[in-house]
Amino acid sequence: MTGDVHIVGAGLSGLSAAVDLAGSGRRVFLHEAAKFAGGRCRSYYDSVIDMTIDNGNHLLLSGNRSALEFLRRIGGLGAMHEAKRPEFPFADLATGERWTLRPNEGRLPWWILDSRRRVPGTRAADYFAPIGVLRATSSATVGKAMTCNGPLYERLWRPLLLAALNTEPADADAGLAAQIFRETLGAGGHACRPLVATGGLAAAFIDPALRYLRQRGVEIAFSRSLRQIQFSDGAASELDFGDTRISLGLDDHVILAVPPIVARALIPGLIVPEEFHAIVNAHFRIAPPPDQPPILGIVNATTEWIFAFPDRLSVTISCADRLMEEPRDRLAETIWREVATLTGLGPELPRWQIVRERRATFAATPKQNAKRPEARTSFRNLLLAGDWTRTGLPATIEGSIRSGLSAAAAIAGAQERLGRPRNAA
Ligand SMILES: Cc1cc2nc3c(=O)[nH]c(=O)nc-3n(C[C@H](O)[C@H](O)[C@H](O)COP(=O)(O)OP(=O)(O)OC[C@H]3O[C@@H](n4cnc5c(N)ncnc54)[C@H](O)[C@@H]3O)c2cc1C
Protein backbone atom coordinates (compact mmCIF):
# COMPACT_ATOMS: atom_id res chain seq x y z
CA MET A 1 0.00 0.00 0.00
CA THR A 2 1.47 3.39 -0.99
CA GLY A 3 0.31 6.71 0.31
CA ASP A 4 -1.66 9.49 -1.35
CA VAL A 5 -0.14 12.59 -2.93
CA HIS A 6 -1.87 15.95 -2.55
CA ILE A 7 -0.69 18.54 -5.04
CA VAL A 8 -1.69 22.09 -4.20
CA GLY A 9 -1.70 24.48 -7.17
CA ALA A 10 -2.59 23.56 -10.76
CA GLY A 11 -0.12 25.82 -12.55
CA LEU A 12 2.39 24.13 -14.84
CA SER A 13 4.57 22.93 -11.95
CA GLY A 14 1.63 21.27 -10.16
CA LEU A 15 0.36 19.80 -13.44
CA SER A 16 3.83 18.50 -14.25
CA ALA A 17 4.12 16.75 -10.87
CA ALA A 18 0.60 15.34 -11.22
CA VAL A 19 1.24 14.03 -14.75
CA ASP A 20 4.45 12.36 -13.59
CA LEU A 21 2.77 10.70 -10.61
CA ALA A 22 -0.53 9.76 -12.31
CA GLY A 23 -0.65 6.04 -12.83
CA SER A 24 2.25 5.44 -10.42
CA GLY A 25 0.07 3.41 -8.07
CA ARG A 26 -0.54 6.28 -5.67
CA ARG A 27 -3.80 8.16 -5.47
CA VAL A 28 -3.16 11.71 -6.67
CA PHE A 29 -5.29 14.73 -5.73
CA LEU A 30 -4.91 18.17 -7.30
CA HIS A 31 -6.26 21.17 -5.37
CA GLU A 32 -6.47 24.58 -7.06
CA ALA A 33 -7.64 27.87 -5.52
CA ALA A 34 -8.86 29.37 -8.80
CA LYS A 35 -11.79 28.17 -10.92
CA PHE A 36 -9.35 27.13 -13.64
CA ALA A 37 -5.94 25.52 -14.05
CA GLY A 38 -2.85 27.05 -15.65
CA GLY A 39 -1.90 29.76 -13.16
CA ARG A 40 0.33 32.23 -15.00
CA CYS A 41 0.06 30.25 -18.24
CA ARG A 42 -3.61 30.39 -19.11
CA SER A 43 -6.18 31.25 -21.78
CA TYR A 44 -9.46 33.00 -21.08
CA TYR A 45 -12.40 34.50 -22.96
CA ASP A 46 -12.08 38.28 -22.92
CA SER A 47 -15.37 40.10 -23.48
CA VAL A 48 -13.68 43.44 -24.25
CA ILE A 49 -11.89 42.07 -27.29
CA ASP A 50 -14.52 39.33 -27.77
CA MET A 51 -12.11 36.46 -28.25
CA THR A 52 -10.17 33.89 -26.27
CA ILE A 53 -6.69 35.17 -25.52
CA ASP A 54 -3.76 34.13 -23.37
CA ASN A 55 -2.74 36.08 -20.28
CA GLY A 56 0.60 36.49 -22.05
CA ASN A 57 2.45 35.23 -25.09
CA HIS A 58 4.65 32.29 -24.16
CA LEU A 59 7.62 31.24 -26.24
CA LEU A 60 9.24 27.83 -26.00
CA LEU A 61 12.45 26.81 -27.74
CA SER A 62 13.19 23.38 -29.15
CA GLY A 63 15.89 23.00 -26.45
CA ASN A 64 13.24 23.11 -23.69
CA ARG A 65 13.37 19.32 -23.41
CA SER A 66 11.24 18.86 -20.28
CA ALA A 67 8.49 21.14 -21.54
CA LEU A 68 8.41 19.30 -24.88
CA GLU A 69 8.35 15.92 -23.14
CA PHE A 70 5.45 17.14 -20.98
CA LEU A 71 3.56 18.23 -24.12
CA ARG A 72 4.32 14.93 -25.84
CA ARG A 73 3.11 12.94 -22.84
CA ILE A 74 -0.20 14.77 -22.42
CA GLY A 75 -0.85 14.97 -26.19
CA GLY A 76 -0.48 18.77 -26.46
CA LEU A 77 2.47 18.94 -28.84
CA GLY A 78 0.23 19.07 -31.92
CA ALA A 79 -1.19 22.38 -30.67
CA MET A 80 2.26 24.00 -30.87
CA HIS A 81 3.59 25.60 -34.03
CA GLU A 82 7.30 24.85 -34.36
CA ALA A 83 9.38 26.95 -36.77
CA LYS A 84 11.18 24.85 -39.38
CA ARG A 85 14.44 26.67 -38.79
CA PRO A 86 16.11 28.50 -35.92
CA GLU A 87 15.41 31.99 -37.23
CA PHE A 88 14.69 35.21 -35.36
CA PRO A 89 13.61 38.21 -37.44
CA PHE A 90 14.28 41.59 -35.81
CA ALA A 91 13.41 45.21 -36.61
CA ASP A 92 14.87 48.45 -35.29
CA LEU A 93 12.06 50.99 -34.93
CA ALA A 94 14.47 53.94 -34.75
CA THR A 95 16.46 53.19 -37.92
CA GLY A 96 14.00 51.04 -39.87
CA GLU A 97 16.65 48.32 -40.29
CA ARG A 98 15.56 44.67 -40.45
CA TRP A 99 17.61 41.53 -40.06
CA THR A 100 17.21 37.86 -39.28
CA LEU A 101 19.44 36.03 -36.86
CA ARG A 102 20.14 32.57 -38.29
CA PRO A 103 22.19 30.27 -36.08
CA ASN A 104 23.27 27.03 -37.79
CA GLU A 105 21.79 23.76 -36.52
CA GLY A 106 24.95 22.26 -35.01
CA ARG A 107 26.83 23.09 -31.83
CA LEU A 108 29.85 24.61 -33.63
CA PRO A 109 28.69 28.23 -34.22
CA TRP A 110 30.07 28.80 -37.73
CA TRP A 111 27.10 31.09 -38.43
CA ILE A 112 28.86 33.93 -36.63
CA LEU A 113 31.45 33.96 -39.44
CA ASP A 114 28.72 34.69 -42.02
CA SER A 115 27.69 38.37 -42.01
CA ARG A 116 24.30 37.50 -43.62
CA ARG A 117 23.40 35.44 -40.56
CA ARG A 118 24.67 37.99 -38.03
CA VAL A 119 23.21 41.19 -36.62
CA PRO A 120 24.10 44.17 -38.88
CA GLY A 121 26.98 46.29 -37.63
CA THR A 122 28.58 43.47 -35.61
CA ARG A 123 31.80 41.46 -35.96
CA ALA A 124 32.29 37.74 -35.34
CA ALA A 125 34.52 38.50 -32.33
CA ASP A 126 31.62 40.33 -30.60
CA TYR A 127 29.75 37.04 -30.28
CA PHE A 128 32.17 35.68 -27.70
CA ALA A 129 31.06 38.17 -25.01
CA PRO A 130 28.89 35.56 -23.22
CA ILE A 131 32.02 33.51 -22.44
CA GLY A 132 32.48 35.90 -19.49
CA VAL A 133 29.02 34.90 -18.28
CA LEU A 134 29.78 31.19 -18.65
CA ARG A 135 32.90 31.66 -16.50
CA ALA A 136 31.39 34.00 -13.93
CA THR A 137 31.58 33.16 -10.25
CA SER A 138 28.39 32.57 -8.31
CA SER A 139 26.57 35.73 -7.23
CA ALA A 140 28.05 37.78 -10.12
CA THR A 141 25.71 39.84 -12.27
CA VAL A 142 25.65 39.69 -16.07
CA GLY A 143 26.81 43.34 -15.97
CA LYS A 144 29.98 42.26 -14.15
CA ALA A 145 30.59 39.29 -16.43
CA MET A 146 30.11 40.80 -19.90
CA THR A 147 29.98 44.19 -21.60
CA CYS A 148 26.40 45.41 -21.52
CA ASN A 149 26.52 47.99 -24.28
CA GLY A 150 27.29 48.27 -27.98
CA PRO A 151 25.33 47.21 -31.07
CA LEU A 152 25.40 43.45 -30.45
CA TYR A 153 24.32 43.81 -26.85
CA GLU A 154 21.45 46.15 -27.75
CA ARG A 155 20.35 44.13 -30.77
CA LEU A 156 20.81 40.57 -29.56
CA TRP A 157 22.00 39.81 -26.04
CA ARG A 158 19.76 42.31 -24.27
CA PRO A 159 16.50 41.32 -26.06
CA LEU A 160 17.18 37.58 -25.62
CA LEU A 161 18.27 37.80 -21.99
CA LEU A 162 15.53 40.26 -21.04
CA ALA A 163 12.89 37.90 -22.46
CA ALA A 164 14.35 34.86 -20.70
CA LEU A 165 15.15 36.49 -17.34
CA ASN A 166 12.41 39.16 -17.13
CA THR A 167 15.03 41.28 -15.41
CA GLU A 168 17.30 43.98 -16.80
CA PRO A 169 20.19 41.75 -17.94
CA ALA A 170 22.96 43.91 -16.44
CA ASP A 171 21.41 43.34 -12.97
CA ALA A 172 20.58 39.67 -13.54
CA ASP A 173 22.28 36.61 -12.09
CA ALA A 174 25.11 35.47 -14.38
CA GLY A 175 24.58 31.80 -13.46
CA LEU A 176 20.97 31.89 -14.68
CA ALA A 177 22.02 33.68 -17.87
CA ALA A 178 24.78 31.10 -18.40
CA GLN A 179 22.25 28.27 -18.15
CA ILE A 180 20.09 29.98 -20.77
CA PHE A 181 23.11 30.25 -23.09
CA ARG A 182 24.06 26.59 -22.51
CA GLU A 183 20.58 25.27 -23.24
CA THR A 184 19.86 27.50 -26.27
CA LEU A 185 22.46 29.20 -28.50
CA GLY A 186 25.33 27.31 -26.84
CA ALA A 187 23.65 24.01 -27.70
CA GLY A 188 23.33 25.00 -31.38
CA GLY A 189 20.50 26.15 -33.61
CA HIS A 190 18.69 22.81 -33.25
CA ALA A 191 17.86 23.92 -29.67
CA CYS A 192 16.65 27.37 -30.80
CA ARG A 193 13.68 26.66 -33.04
CA PRO A 194 10.82 28.76 -31.63
CA LEU A 195 7.53 27.09 -30.67
CA VAL A 196 4.31 29.01 -30.06
CA ALA A 197 0.87 27.78 -28.97
CA THR A 198 -0.95 29.33 -31.93
CA GLY A 199 -4.34 28.02 -30.79
CA GLY A 200 -3.79 29.31 -27.25
CA LEU A 201 -1.98 28.10 -24.14
CA ALA A 202 -4.94 26.15 -22.79
CA ALA A 203 -5.25 24.03 -25.94
CA ALA A 204 -1.59 22.99 -25.74
CA PHE A 205 -0.65 22.88 -22.05
CA ILE A 206 -3.72 22.87 -19.85
CA ASP A 207 -6.74 21.11 -21.38
CA PRO A 208 -4.74 18.04 -22.52
CA ALA A 209 -3.05 17.84 -19.09
CA LEU A 210 -6.40 17.89 -17.27
CA ARG A 211 -7.74 15.23 -19.67
CA TYR A 212 -4.63 13.08 -19.12
CA LEU A 213 -5.01 13.33 -15.34
CA ARG A 214 -8.74 12.60 -15.27
CA GLN A 215 -8.24 9.55 -17.50
CA ARG A 216 -5.80 8.24 -14.89
CA GLY A 217 -8.12 8.79 -11.94
CA VAL A 218 -6.55 11.98 -10.56
CA GLU A 219 -9.16 13.92 -8.58
CA ILE A 220 -9.10 17.62 -9.44
CA ALA A 221 -10.80 20.21 -7.22
CA PHE A 222 -11.12 23.86 -8.25
CA SER A 223 -12.01 26.81 -5.97
CA ARG A 224 -10.15 24.99 -3.21
CA SER A 225 -7.64 27.26 -1.54
CA LEU A 226 -5.21 25.86 1.03
CA ARG A 227 -5.48 28.06 4.12
CA GLN A 228 -3.19 26.31 6.58
CA ILE A 229 -1.00 23.25 7.10
CA GLN A 230 -0.85 21.52 10.48
CA PHE A 231 2.50 19.96 11.36
CA SER A 232 3.47 17.29 13.86
CA ASP A 233 6.60 15.13 14.38
CA GLY A 234 8.49 16.84 11.53
CA ALA A 235 5.77 16.21 8.96
CA ALA A 236 2.67 17.87 7.56
CA SER A 237 -0.30 16.20 9.28
CA GLU A 238 -3.36 18.07 8.01
CA LEU A 239 -4.34 20.30 5.09
CA ASP A 240 -6.95 22.92 5.94
CA PHE A 241 -8.94 24.19 2.94
CA GLY A 242 -11.55 25.98 5.08
CA ASP A 243 -14.63 23.90 4.34
CA THR A 244 -12.54 20.74 3.79
CA ARG A 245 -9.81 19.30 6.01
CA ILE A 246 -7.62 16.42 4.91
CA SER A 247 -5.69 14.36 7.46
CA LEU A 248 -2.43 12.98 6.14
CA GLY A 249 -1.38 9.39 6.79
CA LEU A 250 2.21 8.31 7.45
CA ASP A 251 2.83 7.45 3.78
CA ASP A 252 1.08 10.52 2.33
CA HIS A 253 2.92 13.41 0.67
CA VAL A 254 2.11 17.00 -0.21
CA ILE A 255 3.56 18.98 -3.09
CA LEU A 256 3.05 22.69 -2.62
CA ALA A 257 3.06 24.17 -6.14
CA VAL A 258 1.85 27.65 -5.22
CA PRO A 259 3.50 31.08 -5.69
CA PRO A 260 6.39 31.87 -3.30
CA ILE A 261 4.51 34.37 -1.13
CA VAL A 262 1.71 31.82 -0.56
CA ALA A 263 4.23 29.08 0.27
CA ARG A 264 5.99 31.35 2.76
CA ALA A 265 2.72 31.99 4.59
CA LEU A 266 2.04 28.24 4.83
CA ILE A 267 5.46 26.90 5.87
CA PRO A 268 7.14 28.26 8.98
CA GLY A 269 10.63 29.64 8.35
CA LEU A 270 10.59 29.18 4.56
CA ILE A 271 12.84 31.62 2.69
CA VAL A 272 11.64 32.54 -0.81
CA PRO A 273 12.31 35.18 -3.47
CA GLU A 274 10.27 38.26 -2.64
CA GLU A 275 11.00 40.67 -5.48
CA PHE A 276 9.17 40.32 -8.77
CA HIS A 277 8.93 41.91 -12.18
CA ALA A 278 5.91 42.55 -14.35
CA ILE A 279 5.15 41.51 -17.94
CA VAL A 280 2.73 43.49 -20.08
CA ASN A 281 0.89 42.03 -23.06
CA ALA A 282 -1.17 44.08 -25.50
CA HIS A 283 -3.60 42.16 -27.73
CA PHE A 284 -5.03 43.75 -30.88
CA ARG A 285 -7.95 42.16 -32.71
CA ILE A 286 -6.75 42.44 -36.29
CA ALA A 287 -5.50 39.95 -38.87
CA PRO A 288 -1.74 40.29 -39.38
CA PRO A 289 -0.40 41.18 -42.83
CA PRO A 290 0.36 38.03 -44.88
CA ASP A 291 4.15 38.45 -44.62
CA GLN A 292 4.20 39.01 -40.86
CA PRO A 293 6.58 36.50 -39.19
CA PRO A 294 5.15 34.48 -36.26
CA ILE A 295 7.49 36.36 -33.89
CA LEU A 296 9.28 39.63 -34.53
CA GLY A 297 11.85 41.06 -32.10
CA ILE A 298 11.91 44.88 -31.86
CA VAL A 299 14.64 47.18 -30.57
CA ASN A 300 14.49 50.89 -29.78
CA ALA A 301 10.78 50.77 -28.94
CA THR A 302 8.38 50.13 -26.05
CA THR A 303 7.24 47.05 -27.98
CA GLU A 304 9.72 44.18 -27.56
CA TRP A 305 8.14 41.22 -29.37
CA ILE A 306 5.21 41.03 -31.77
CA PHE A 307 3.49 37.65 -31.97
CA ALA A 308 1.23 37.06 -34.98
CA PHE A 309 -1.83 34.85 -34.52
CA PRO A 310 -4.39 34.16 -37.26
CA ASP A 311 -6.86 36.71 -35.84
CA ARG A 312 -4.72 39.09 -33.75
CA LEU A 313 -1.39 40.72 -33.16
CA SER A 314 -0.03 40.53 -29.68
CA VAL A 315 2.83 42.43 -28.09
CA THR A 316 5.00 41.38 -25.14
CA ILE A 317 7.01 43.75 -22.94
CA SER A 318 9.21 42.22 -20.22
CA CYS A 319 10.40 43.72 -16.94
CA ALA A 320 7.56 46.19 -17.46
CA ASP A 321 7.22 47.55 -13.91
CA ARG A 322 7.54 51.09 -15.32
CA LEU A 323 4.29 50.58 -17.27
CA MET A 324 2.13 49.45 -14.35
CA GLU A 325 0.70 52.88 -13.59
CA GLU A 326 0.53 54.08 -17.21
CA PRO A 327 -3.12 54.76 -18.25
CA ARG A 328 -4.27 51.73 -20.23
CA ASP A 329 -5.61 53.62 -23.26
CA ARG A 330 -2.42 55.67 -23.57
CA LEU A 331 -0.34 52.50 -23.41
CA ALA A 332 -2.52 50.81 -26.06
CA GLU A 333 -2.15 53.85 -28.35
CA THR A 334 1.64 54.02 -27.88
CA ILE A 335 2.07 50.34 -28.63
CA TRP A 336 -0.32 50.37 -31.58
CA ARG A 337 1.50 53.33 -33.15
CA GLU A 338 4.69 51.25 -33.09
CA VAL A 339 2.98 48.10 -34.34
CA ALA A 340 1.28 50.03 -37.18
CA THR A 341 4.66 51.46 -38.27
CA LEU A 342 6.32 48.04 -38.14
CA THR A 343 3.55 46.11 -39.91
CA GLY A 344 2.28 48.72 -42.35
CA LEU A 345 -1.24 48.43 -40.90
CA GLY A 346 -3.33 51.61 -40.63
CA PRO A 347 -3.11 54.00 -37.66
CA GLU A 348 -6.67 53.32 -36.47
CA LEU A 349 -6.53 51.49 -33.14
CA PRO A 350 -8.24 48.06 -33.45
CA ARG A 351 -10.14 46.50 -30.53
CA TRP A 352 -7.53 45.91 -27.86
CA GLN A 353 -6.88 44.49 -24.43
CA ILE A 354 -3.92 45.04 -22.12
CA VAL A 355 -3.01 42.34 -19.60
CA ARG A 356 -0.55 43.42 -16.92
CA GLU A 357 0.87 40.63 -14.78
CA ARG A 358 2.42 42.54 -11.89
CA ARG A 359 4.20 39.53 -10.36
CA ALA A 360 4.91 37.70 -13.60
CA THR A 361 8.21 36.21 -12.37
CA PHE A 362 10.67 36.58 -9.51
CA ALA A 363 13.45 39.10 -10.15
CA ALA A 364 16.33 37.01 -11.51
CA THR A 365 19.00 38.89 -9.54
CA PRO A 366 21.77 37.14 -7.57
CA LYS A 367 20.08 38.18 -4.30
CA GLN A 368 16.68 36.71 -5.21
CA ASN A 369 18.19 33.66 -6.86
CA ALA A 370 20.00 32.86 -3.61
CA LYS A 371 16.63 32.69 -1.83
CA ARG A 372 15.23 29.90 -3.98
CA PRO A 373 14.60 26.75 -1.92
CA GLU A 374 15.15 23.13 -2.99
CA ALA A 375 12.17 20.85 -3.65
CA ARG A 376 12.67 19.12 -0.27
CA THR A 377 11.65 21.03 2.83
CA SER A 378 12.53 20.41 6.46
CA PHE A 379 9.25 18.45 6.75
CA ARG A 380 9.70 14.89 5.54
CA ASN A 381 6.47 14.58 3.52
CA LEU A 382 6.28 18.15 2.20
CA LEU A 383 7.82 19.18 -1.14
CA LEU A 384 7.90 22.37 -3.12
CA ALA A 385 7.43 22.98 -6.83
CA GLY A 386 7.25 26.18 -8.86
CA ASP A 387 9.39 28.19 -11.26
CA TRP A 388 10.76 30.04 -8.20
CA THR A 389 12.30 26.94 -6.59
CA ARG A 390 15.96 26.04 -7.16
CA THR A 391 15.76 24.78 -10.73
CA GLY A 392 18.94 26.45 -12.02
CA LEU A 393 16.78 28.23 -14.62
CA PRO A 394 14.96 31.56 -14.54
CA ALA A 395 11.16 31.58 -14.12
CA THR A 396 10.15 29.80 -17.30
CA ILE A 397 7.85 27.03 -18.44
CA GLU A 398 10.88 24.76 -18.65
CA GLY A 399 11.91 25.54 -15.07
CA SER A 400 8.41 25.12 -13.78
CA ILE A 401 7.93 21.72 -15.48
CA ARG A 402 11.32 20.54 -14.16
CA SER A 403 10.40 21.66 -10.64
CA GLY A 404 7.29 19.46 -10.77
CA LEU A 405 9.38 16.52 -11.95
CA SER A 406 11.90 17.06 -9.12
CA ALA A 407 9.16 17.07 -6.49
CA ALA A 408 7.62 13.92 -8.00
CA ALA A 409 11.05 12.25 -8.15
CA ALA A 410 11.69 13.08 -4.48
CA ILE A 411 8.50 11.20 -3.57
CA ALA A 412 9.49 8.26 -5.76
CA GLY A 413 12.95 8.35 -4.11
CA ALA A 414 11.40 8.27 -0.63
CA GLN A 415 9.37 5.23 -1.70
CA GLU A 416 12.43 3.45 -3.07
CA ARG A 417 14.36 4.12 0.15
CA LEU A 418 11.54 2.26 1.92
CA GLY A 419 12.19 -0.66 -0.45
CA ARG A 420 9.09 -0.31 -2.61
CA PRO A 421 9.23 -0.26 -6.39
CA ARG A 422 7.94 3.06 -7.77
CA ASN A 423 5.06 1.69 -9.78
CA ALA A 424 3.81 -0.82 -7.23
CA ALA A 425 0.11 -0.35 -6.47
C1 LIG B 1 2.81 37.24 -18.96
C2 LIG B 1 3.77 36.08 -18.82
C3 LIG B 1 4.54 35.69 -19.91
C4 LIG B 1 5.42 34.62 -19.78
N1 LIG B 1 6.13 34.24 -20.88
C5 LIG B 1 6.89 33.12 -20.80
C6 LIG B 1 7.55 32.64 -21.96
O1 LIG B 1 7.48 33.24 -23.04
N2 LIG B 1 8.27 31.49 -21.87
C7 LIG B 1 8.38 30.81 -20.68
O2 LIG B 1 9.03 29.76 -20.67
N3 LIG B 1 7.78 31.26 -19.55
C8 LIG B 1 7.03 32.39 -19.59
N4 LIG B 1 6.39 32.84 -18.46
C9 LIG B 1 6.60 32.13 -17.19
C10 LIG B 1 5.64 30.94 -17.02
O3 LIG B 1 4.32 31.34 -17.27
C11 LIG B 1 5.73 30.47 -15.55
O4 LIG B 1 7.08 30.11 -15.30
C12 LIG B 1 4.86 29.26 -15.23
O5 LIG B 1 3.57 29.40 -15.75
C13 LIG B 1 4.81 29.14 -13.71
O6 LIG B 1 4.07 27.99 -13.32
P1 LIG B 1 4.04 27.59 -11.79
O7 LIG B 1 3.24 26.36 -11.64
O8 LIG B 1 5.44 27.54 -11.30
O9 LIG B 1 3.32 28.81 -11.01
P2 LIG B 1 1.84 29.39 -11.16
O10 LIG B 1 1.43 29.43 -12.57
O11 LIG B 1 1.86 30.69 -10.42
O12 LIG B 1 0.91 28.35 -10.40
C14 LIG B 1 0.58 28.43 -9.02
C15 LIG B 1 -0.87 27.95 -8.86
O13 LIG B 1 -1.15 27.89 -7.45
C16 LIG B 1 -2.49 28.33 -7.26
N5 LIG B 1 -2.63 28.74 -5.85
C17 LIG B 1 -2.17 29.87 -5.26
N6 LIG B 1 -2.45 29.84 -3.96
C18 LIG B 1 -3.12 28.69 -3.70
C19 LIG B 1 -3.68 28.10 -2.53
N7 LIG B 1 -3.61 28.68 -1.33
N8 LIG B 1 -4.32 26.89 -2.65
C20 LIG B 1 -4.40 26.27 -3.85
N9 LIG B 1 -3.87 26.78 -5.00
C21 LIG B 1 -3.24 27.98 -4.91
C22 LIG B 1 -2.61 29.48 -8.26
O14 LIG B 1 -3.96 29.81 -8.50
C23 LIG B 1 -1.90 28.89 -9.48
O15 LIG B 1 -2.76 28.18 -10.30
C24 LIG B 1 5.55 33.94 -18.54
C25 LIG B 1 4.78 34.35 -17.44
C26 LIG B 1 3.90 35.40 -17.57
C27 LIG B 1 3.07 35.82 -16.38
Side-chain angles (χ1 to χ4, degrees), residues 40-85:
R40 280 170 284 151
C41 179
R42 65 184 186 281
S43 308
Y44 72 100
Y45 171 74
D46 191 297
S47 56
V48 174
I49 193 169
D50 188 24
M51 63 199 322
T52 297
I53 55 176
D54 297 329
N55 66 315
N57 302 311
H58 280 62
L59 179 67
L60 274 192
L61 293 178
S62 44
N64 295 154
R65 59 177 193 277
S66 307
L68 294 184
E69 179 50 33
F70 172 80
L71 287 166
R72 212 168 283 125
R73 196 160 167 187
I74 61 173
L77 198 54
M80 300 293 290
H81 173 268
E82 179 170 1
K84 288 197 178 64
R85 282 179 289 276

Side-chain angles (χ1 to χ4, degrees), residues 266-291:
L266 290 165
I267 305 180
L270 185 70
I271 293 172
V272 300
E274 52 211 0
E275 283 174 23
F276 303 89
H277 286 310
I279 297 180
V280 167
N281 274 264
H283 306 275
F284 299 101
R285 185 176 174 148
I286 189 164
D291 56 349

Side-chain angles (χ1 to χ4, degrees), residues 8-14 31-34 36-41 55-60 64 224-227 241 257-259 262 266 279 281 357 359-361 385-388 395-398 400 403:
V8 183
L12 286 177
S13 61
H31 312 273
E32 165 58 50
F36 49 83
R40 280 170 284 151
C41 179
N55 66 315
N57 302 311
H58 280 62
L59 179 67
L60 274 192
N64 295 154
R224 185 178 279 178
S225 175
L226 183 62
R227 307 261 173 91
F241 293 96
V258 297
V262 179
L266 290 165
I279 297 180
N281 274 264
E357 291 269 6
R359 287 185 175 168
T361 70
D387 60 2
W388 54 276
T396 51
I397 292 178
E398 179 68 11
S400 142
S403 77

